[in-house]
């Protein structure tokens, strides 16, 4: 699992006036909103004696620990220690790690890492204006968990040959050999454009899709420093849809997927339930496969599986992850296995700027990676 990435930690609508706990990258976080409604993400562990902040309350725009009432503001600083009285000086070490947070596309993103602002990658632009100028757009959102490593889940999201085997409603058995495709690497994303049958003609979508649909274009982009995928599908111009999915490792063996589905056809509210139903049908079909993949993580060597050229998009992503691991961005989960005396945290930008005066220890990072045949 990589630090120094943007991760989707939840849907905006899930964080209201109570703190919300999220497990990601093997760590616990708390999301809450301040008095202006701005979302914040802090390490969940109170530095007093380990209370879980997400079990507390939001009071005056700060999150209050349920154990002895210490309050932390959005920047992670402790602003009140009730047992010391109102005029007491708050110790400098009374702070928790706070992670840069952005809300976009109906999602709450947090940058889990310690890079200063000018070194952080930008968030992906999922809905650029030129794609959204045709008609009115309707969005639906949801989430799903898979029992597999996040890299496995992303590889599945761009797999061009699984649809006819896994998905009952799309994928054309006459096109089991994928058409040639190119993958462009622009440094922060891997972009693949091709042609395929975009969606099924079942139910209320039947009249939205032309009969020559095999010739429709689609494009799939994986964003690397904000693990997510954007799928564009052009139906009958100007009818299109975009599916964007954020992938967040819960731990090494579980992945949370959050999706937004955007469509510019059948935009009445009454079609939302049908759209969600289609998304969950597809995701449940993927889940049946992903929950039982072996190994749950991607094996260390490419030669540990028998990969084909049609797997190239996912394999290129796999190699990008290996590069980031080699740069020292990977958490060493096995080095912390069985540790029950320390609560560790992913280092935040404030910790890098001022490395002393923190109570909790940082997670252990992998110094070097397995050799691989990239
Ligand atoms: S453990 Fe949080 S206030 Fe004591
Ligand atoms: Fe799938």
């Amino acid at each position: 699992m990589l630090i120094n990435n943007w991760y989707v930690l939840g849907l905006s609508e899930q964080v209201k006036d109570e703190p919300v706990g999220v497990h990601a990258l093997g760590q616990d976080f708390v999301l809450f909103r301040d008095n202006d409604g701005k979302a914040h993400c802090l390490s969940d562990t109170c530095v007093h004696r380990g209370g879980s902040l997400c079990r507390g309350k939001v009071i005056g725009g700060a999150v209050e620990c349920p154990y002895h009432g210490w309050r932390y503001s959005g920047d992670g600083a402790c602003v009140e220690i009730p047992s010391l009285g109102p005029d007491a000086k708050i110790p400098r070490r009374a702070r928790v790690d706070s992670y840069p947070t952005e809300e976009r596309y109906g999602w709450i993103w947090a940058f889990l890492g310690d890079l200063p602002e000018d070194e952080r990658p930008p968030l992906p632009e999922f809905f650029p204006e030129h794609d959204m100028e045709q008609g009115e757009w309707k969005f639906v959102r949801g989430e799903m968990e898979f029992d597999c490593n996040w890299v496995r889940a992303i590889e599945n999201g761009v797999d061009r040959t699984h649809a006819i085997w896994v998905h009952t409603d799309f994928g054309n058995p006459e096109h089991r050999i994928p058409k040639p495709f190119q993958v462009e690497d622009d440094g922060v994303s891997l972009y693949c454009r091709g042609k395929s049958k975009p969606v099924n003609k079942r139910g209320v979508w039947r009249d939205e899709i032309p009969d020559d649909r095999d010739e429709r274009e689609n494009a799939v982009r994986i964003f690397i420093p904000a693990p997510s995928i954007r799928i564009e599908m052009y139906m009958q111009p100007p009818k299109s849809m975009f599916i964007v999915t954020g992938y967040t490792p819960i731990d090494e063996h579980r992945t949370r997927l959050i999706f937004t589905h955007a469509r510019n056809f059948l935009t009445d509210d009454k079609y939302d339930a049908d759209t969600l139903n289609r998304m969950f049908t597809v995701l449940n079909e993927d889940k049946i496969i992903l929950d039982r993949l072996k190994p749950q993580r991607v094996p260390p060597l490419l030669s540990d599986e028998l990969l084909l050229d049609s797997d190239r998009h996912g394999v290129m992503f796999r190699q990008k992850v290996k590069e980031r691991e080699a740069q020292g961005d990977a958490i060493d989960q096995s080095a912390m296995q069985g540790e029950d005396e320390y609560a560790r945290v992913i280092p935040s930008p404030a910790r890098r700027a001022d490395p002393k005066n923190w109570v909790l220890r940082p997670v252990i990072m992998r110094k070097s990676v397995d050799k691989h045949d990239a």
Side-chain angles (χ1 to χ4, degrees):
M1 296 178 290
L2 300 175
I3 68 162
N4 286 325
N5 275 349
W6 287 99
Y7 290 102
V8 187
L9 293 193
L11 294 169
S12 291
E13 67 198 34
Q14 292 167 331
V15 184
K16 300 194 172 104
D17 43 13
E18 295 289 317
V20 173
V22 181
H23 196 69
L25 277 64
Q27 304 296 315
D28 289 310
F29 300 92
V30 58
L31 302 177
F32 69 99
R33 293 188 186 279
D34 65 20
N35 287 338
D36 297 326
K38 182 175 173 6
H40 297 278
C41 173
L42 305 182
S43 160
D44 185 55
T45 306
C46 177
V47 296
H48 175 215
R49 277 170 42 210
S52 172
L53 299 176
C54 71
R55 297 296 179 92
K57 294 191 182 81
V58 179
I59 309 274
V63 64
E64 183 184 86
C65 179
Y67 205 178
H68 314 93
W70 292 26
R71 287 187 194 164
Y72 297 91
S73 57
D75 62 1
C78 181
V79 291
E80 191 172 336
I81 299 182
S83 60
L84 292 181
D87 301 323
K89 187 172 179 314
I90 309 273
R92 182 130 175 251
R93 295 205 316 150
R95 55 177 171 173
V96 295
D97 288 82
S98 166
Y99 304 93
T101 305
E102 296 269 350
E103 276 186 81
R104 214 174 287 172
Y105 316 121
W107 302 349
I108 297 178
W109 297 79
F111 186 79
L112 301 182
D114 61 355
L115 290 182
E117 187 168 7
D118 56 349
E119 291 178 36
R120 274 173 232 152
L123 282 175
E125 196 182 354
F126 285 149
F127 303 118
E129 234 166 70
H130 59 83
D131 278 343
M132 306 308 276
E133 55 202 16
Q134 294 285 359
E136 174 201 353
W137 286 81
K138 194 69 200 298
F139 301 85
V140 293
R141 302 181 175 86
E143 63 182 301
M144 169 73 95
E145 282 185 21
F146 297 125
D147 289 338
C148 69
N149 178 270
W150 66 287
V151 181
R152 288 281 206 205
I154 288 185
E155 288 184 7
N156 175 72
V158 299
D159 181 346
R160 299 186 87 81
T161 50
H162 80 293
I164 64 168
W165 305 102
V166 175
H167 299 301
T168 44
D169 277 339
F170 64 98
N172 184 342
E174 289 164 26
H175 294 95
R176 64 173 64 193
I177 301 171
K179 303 203 165 149
F181 63 91
Q182 298 296 321
V183 182
E184 294 162 30
D185 175 359
D186 67 7
V188 291
S189 74
L190 295 168
Y191 183 58
C192 176
R193 189 178 277 278
K195 293 195 169 177
S196 72
K197 182 178 176 178
V199 286
N200 67 75
K201 285 174 69 83
R202 169 172 65 86
V204 293
W205 287 22
R206 193 177 302 117
D207 298 332
E208 305 299 313
I209 300 164
D211 286 329
D212 66 343
R213 62 195 188 286
D214 287 345
E215 294 310 309
R216 296 291 145 218
E217 277 206 333
N218 63 43
V220 181
R221 190 186 292 276
I222 312 177
F223 296 90
I224 298 156
S228 53
I229 295 177
R230 176 184 193 267
I231 300 177
E232 306 164 23
M233 287 183 177
Y234 300 96
M235 298 169 74
Q236 173 74 315
K239 292 173 190 166
S240 329
M241 62 179 188
F242 301 102
I243 301 170
V244 293
T245 39
Y247 293 80
T248 301
I250 299 169
D251 53 34
E252 290 284 13
H253 304 124
R254 289 180 298 160
T255 302
R256 187 181 307 110
L257 174 155
I258 289 191
F259 69 83
T260 295
H261 183 292
R263 65 187 194 274
N264 68 351
F265 57 93
L266 299 177
T267 49
D268 195 284
D269 288 354
K270 70 182 182 192
Y271 298 115
D272 286 358
D274 179 78
T275 308
L276 278 173
N277 183 275
R278 285 167 197 269
M279 279 302 295
F280 281 111
T281 299
V282 169
L283 292 173
N284 276 309
E285 287 167 342
D286 285 322
K287 183 171 170 61
I288 289 168
I289 301 295
L290 291 177
D291 283 2
R292 288 189 59 84
L293 289 181
K294 283 206 179 71
Q296 280 176 302
R297 290 177 60 191
V298 169
L301 305 179
L302 294 183
S303 59
D304 290 326
E305 297 184 316
L306 213 171
L307 299 162
L308 300 177
D309 184 63
S310 53
D311 300 314
R312 185 169 12 109
H313 197 184
V315 169
M316 287 173 73
F317 175 67
R318 191 184 286 200
Q319 289 171 298
K320 290 279 179 194
V321 172
K322 297 273 187 205
E323 285 168 23
R324 290 283 305 280
E325 289 173 349
Q327 289 165 14
D329 282 337
I331 296 173
D332 190 344
Q333 210 60 44
S334 56
M336 297 181 287
Q337 197 114 42
E339 238 186 26
D340 54 9
E341 293 173 309
Y342 309 117
R344 293 191 183 265
V345 291
I346 291 175
S348 61
R351 193 182 275 255
R352 176 184 285 213
D354 171 19
K356 295 192 177 141
N357 296 307
W358 296 88
V359 175
L360 301 186
R361 300 170 189 225
V363 290
I364 299 174
M365 303 301 294
R366 245 195 269 169
K367 296 284 184 295
S368 60
V369 295
D370 297 319
K371 270 199 1 227
H372 65 98
D373 53 352

